[in-house]
Amino acid sequence: MRILYLTIFLSLFLPNQSMANEASNWLKKEIDIILDAYKNENISKETRFLMIEDTINYNFAGTGIAKFVAGDSWKAADKETKKKYINLFKRHLALNIASMMQGYSNQEYDLINSKFDSKNKITLIDMEIYNDTGSLIVTWRVKKSKERYYVIDL
């Protein structure tokens, strides 16, 4: 009987943990590309910004995030306004991240925990960022759609 319980537990847990690990590996790769650019003094600020902007355009669920931020105003906007807003929102997000990255000085990080939320079909990934004064934990929310991952929140 004990083996039956263990088998049931593993059959439920392992697929979810596998998805969480896959999402975590994807996120680490994407983060490391940006951090490597900031470690390389031969890469210009403009190129670094463009890398961040490309990452946001390709890896963030920009439409969904922009729609959420717009709130009730989203419903009242026409199609062209929504399209412009999404583009400006993504640009704004890239500028904010690039601005924050100006203070980057080789801080280290670890992805310390990842779990798949089967109810919402998202992976929650905890990242611990270390600095001189301690550490900070940030939780990324990642969703797989159309065979690729997107950041939907952090």
Side-chain angles (χ1 to χ4, degrees), residues 102-131:
Q102 293 303 311
Y104 176 72
S105 59
N106 295 322
Q107 291 91 343
E108 298 293 323
Y109 78 93
D110 285 316
L111 299 179
I112 57 172
N113 186 34
S114 61
K115 63 183 176 183
F116 183 72
D117 175 352
S118 56
K119 179 182 175 191
N120 296 306
K121 296 187 168 101
I122 62 169
T123 303
L124 302 163
I125 303 169
D126 292 331
M127 168 195 246
E128 188 166 9
I129 304 168
Y130 307 99
N131 61 35

Coordinates of all heavy atoms in Angstrom, one line a residue, residues 102-131:
Q102 N 21.6 50.4 -14.6 CA 22.8 51.3 -14.6 C 23.5 51.2 -13.3 O 24.7 51.4 -13.2 CB 22.3 52.8 -14.7 CG 21.8 53.1 -16.1 CD 22.7 52.8 -17.2 OE1 23.9 53.2 -17.2 NE2 22.3 52.2 -18.2
G103 N 22.8 50.8 -12.2 CA 23.5 50.5 -11.0 C 24.0 49.1 -10.8 O 24.5 48.8 -9.7
Y104 N 24.0 48.3 -11.8 CA 24.4 46.9 -11.7 C 25.9 46.9 -11.5 O 26.7 47.5 -12.3 CB 24.1 46.2 -13.0 CG 24.6 44.7 -13.0 CD1 24.1 43.8 -12.1 CD2 25.7 44.4 -13.8 CE1 24.6 42.5 -12.1 CE2 26.2 43.1 -13.8 CZ 25.6 42.2 -12.9 OH 26.1 40.9 -12.9
S105 N 26.4 46.2 -10.5 CA 27.8 46.1 -10.2 C 28.2 44.7 -9.8 O 28.7 44.4 -8.8 CB 28.2 47.1 -9.1 OG 27.5 46.8 -7.9
N106 N 27.8 43.8 -10.8 CA 28.2 42.4 -10.6 C 27.5 41.7 -9.5 O 28.1 40.7 -8.9 CB 29.7 42.2 -10.6 CG 30.3 42.6 -11.9 OD1 29.8 42.3 -13.0 ND2 31.5 43.2 -11.9
Q107 N 26.3 42.1 -9.1 CA 25.6 41.4 -8.0 C 25.4 39.9 -8.5 O 25.2 39.7 -9.7 CB 24.3 42.0 -7.7 CG 24.4 43.3 -7.0 CD 24.4 44.5 -7.9 OE1 24.7 44.4 -9.1 NE2 24.2 45.7 -7.4
E108 N 25.3 39.0 -7.6 CA 25.0 37.6 -8.0 C 23.6 37.3 -7.6 O 22.9 38.0 -6.8 CB 25.9 36.7 -7.2 CG 27.4 36.9 -7.5 CD 27.8 36.5 -8.9 OE1 27.2 35.5 -9.4 OE2 28.6 37.1 -9.5
Y109 N 23.1 36.2 -8.2 CA 21.7 35.8 -7.9 C 21.6 34.3 -8.0 O 22.5 33.6 -8.6 CB 20.7 36.4 -8.9 CG 20.7 35.7 -10.2 CD1 19.8 34.7 -10.5 CD2 21.6 36.1 -11.2 CE1 19.8 34.0 -11.7 CE2 21.6 35.4 -12.5 CZ 20.7 34.4 -12.7 OH 20.7 33.8 -13.9
D110 N 20.6 33.7 -7.4 CA 20.3 32.3 -7.5 C 18.8 32.2 -7.7 O 18.1 32.9 -7.1 CB 20.7 31.6 -6.2 CG 22.2 31.4 -6.0 OD1 22.8 31.0 -7.0 OD2 22.7 31.6 -4.9
L111 N 18.4 31.2 -8.5 CA 17.0 30.9 -8.6 C 16.9 29.8 -7.5 O 17.4 28.7 -7.7 CB 16.7 30.4 -10.0 CG 16.9 31.4 -11.1 CD1 16.6 30.9 -12.5 CD2 16.1 32.7 -10.8
I112 N 16.2 30.2 -6.4 CA 16.2 29.3 -5.2 C 15.0 28.4 -5.1 O 15.1 27.4 -4.4 CB 16.3 30.2 -4.0 CG1 15.2 31.2 -3.9 CG2 17.7 30.9 -3.9 CD1 15.1 31.9 -2.5
N113 N 14.0 28.6 -5.9 CA 12.8 27.8 -5.8 C 12.0 28.0 -7.0 O 11.8 29.1 -7.5 CB 12.0 28.1 -4.5 CG 10.9 27.2 -4.3 OD1 10.9 26.0 -4.5 ND2 9.8 27.7 -3.7
S114 N 11.4 26.9 -7.5 CA 10.5 27.0 -8.6 C 9.4 25.9 -8.4 O 9.7 24.8 -7.9 CB 11.1 26.8 -9.9 OG 11.7 25.5 -10.0
K115 N 8.1 26.4 -8.6 CA 7.0 25.4 -8.5 C 6.0 25.8 -9.5 O 5.8 26.9 -9.9 CB 6.4 25.4 -7.1 CG 5.8 26.8 -6.7 CD 5.3 26.7 -5.2 CE 4.8 28.1 -4.8 NZ 4.4 28.1 -3.5
F116 N 5.4 24.7 -10.0 CA 4.3 24.8 -11.0 C 3.0 24.9 -10.4 O 2.7 24.0 -9.6 CB 4.4 23.7 -12.0 CG 3.4 23.8 -13.1 CD1 3.6 24.8 -14.1 CD2 2.3 23.0 -13.2 CE1 2.6 24.9 -15.2 CE2 1.3 23.2 -14.2 CZ 1.5 24.1 -15.2
D117 N 2.2 25.9 -10.6 CA 0.9 26.1 -10.1 C -0.1 25.5 -11.2 O -0.4 26.2 -12.2 CB 0.6 27.6 -9.9 CG -0.8 27.9 -9.4 OD1 -1.7 27.0 -9.4 OD2 -1.0 29.1 -9.1
S118 N -0.5 24.3 -10.9 CA -1.3 23.6 -12.0 C -2.7 24.3 -12.1 O -3.3 24.2 -13.2 CB -1.4 22.1 -11.7 OG -1.9 21.9 -10.4
K119 N -3.2 24.9 -11.0 CA -4.5 25.5 -11.1 C -4.5 26.7 -12.1 O -5.3 26.9 -13.0 CB -4.9 26.1 -9.7 CG -6.3 26.8 -9.7 CD -6.6 27.3 -8.4 CE -7.9 28.1 -8.5 NZ -8.1 28.8 -7.2
N120 N -3.4 27.6 -12.0 CA -3.3 28.7 -12.9 C -2.4 28.5 -14.1 O -2.2 29.4 -14.9 CB -2.8 29.9 -12.1 CG -3.8 30.3 -11.0 OD1 -4.9 30.6 -11.3 ND2 -3.3 30.4 -9.8
K121 N -1.8 27.3 -14.2 CA -0.9 26.9 -15.3 C 0.3 27.9 -15.5 O 0.6 28.4 -16.6 CB -1.7 26.8 -16.6 CG -2.7 25.6 -16.4 CD -3.3 25.3 -17.8 CE -4.1 24.0 -17.7 NZ -5.4 24.0 -17.6
I122 N 0.9 28.3 -14.3 CA 2.0 29.2 -14.3 C 3.1 28.6 -13.5 O 2.8 27.8 -12.6 CB 1.7 30.6 -13.9 CG1 1.2 30.7 -12.4 CG2 0.7 31.3 -14.8 CD1 1.2 32.0 -11.8
T123 N 4.3 29.0 -13.7 CA 5.4 28.6 -12.8 C 5.9 29.8 -12.0 O 6.1 30.9 -12.6 CB 6.6 28.1 -13.7 OG1 6.2 27.0 -14.5 CG2 7.8 27.6 -12.8
L124 N 6.0 29.6 -10.7 CA 6.5 30.7 -9.8 C 8.0 30.4 -9.5 O 8.3 29.3 -9.1 CB 5.7 30.7 -8.5 CG 4.2 30.9 -8.7 CD1 3.4 30.5 -7.5 CD2 3.9 32.3 -9.1
I125 N 8.8 31.4 -9.8 CA 10.3 31.2 -9.7 C 10.8 32.2 -8.7 O 10.7 33.4 -9.0 CB 11.0 31.2 -11.0 CG1 10.4 30.2 -12.0 CG2 12.5 31.0 -10.8 CD1 10.9 30.4 -13.4
D126 N 11.3 31.8 -7.6 CA 11.9 32.7 -6.6 C 13.4 32.9 -7.0 O 14.2 32.0 -7.1 CB 11.8 32.2 -5.2 CG 10.4 32.1 -4.7 OD1 9.6 32.9 -5.2 OD2 10.1 31.2 -3.9
M127 N 13.8 34.2 -7.0 CA 15.1 34.6 -7.3 C 15.7 35.4 -6.1 O 15.0 36.3 -5.7 CB 15.2 35.5 -8.6 CG 16.5 36.2 -8.8 SD 16.2 37.5 -10.0 CE 17.2 36.9 -11.3
E128 N 16.8 35.0 -5.6 CA 17.4 35.7 -4.5 C 18.6 36.5 -5.1 O 19.5 35.9 -5.8 CB 17.9 34.8 -3.4 CG 18.4 35.6 -2.2 CD 18.6 34.7 -1.0 OE1 18.5 33.5 -1.1 OE2 18.8 35.3 0.1
I129 N 18.6 37.8 -4.9 CA 19.6 38.7 -5.5 C 20.5 39.2 -4.3 O 19.9 39.7 -3.3 CB 19.0 39.9 -6.2 CG1 18.0 39.5 -7.3 CG2 20.1 40.9 -6.7 CD1 17.1 40.6 -7.8
Y130 N 21.8 39.0 -4.4 CA 22.7 39.3 -3.3 C 23.4 40.6 -3.6 O 23.8 40.9 -4.7 CB 23.7 38.2 -3.1 CG 23.1 36.8 -3.0 CD1 23.1 36.0 -4.1 CD2 22.6 36.4 -1.8 CE1 22.5 34.7 -4.0 CE2 22.1 35.1 -1.7 CZ 22.0 34.3 -2.8 OH 21.5 33.0 -2.7
N131 N 23.5 41.4 -2.5 CA 24.3 42.6 -2.6 C 25.1 42.8 -1.3 O 25.0 42.0 -0.4 CB 23.4 43.9 -3.0 CG 22.4 44.1 -1.9 OD1 22.6 44.0 -0.7 ND2 21.2 44.6 -2.4

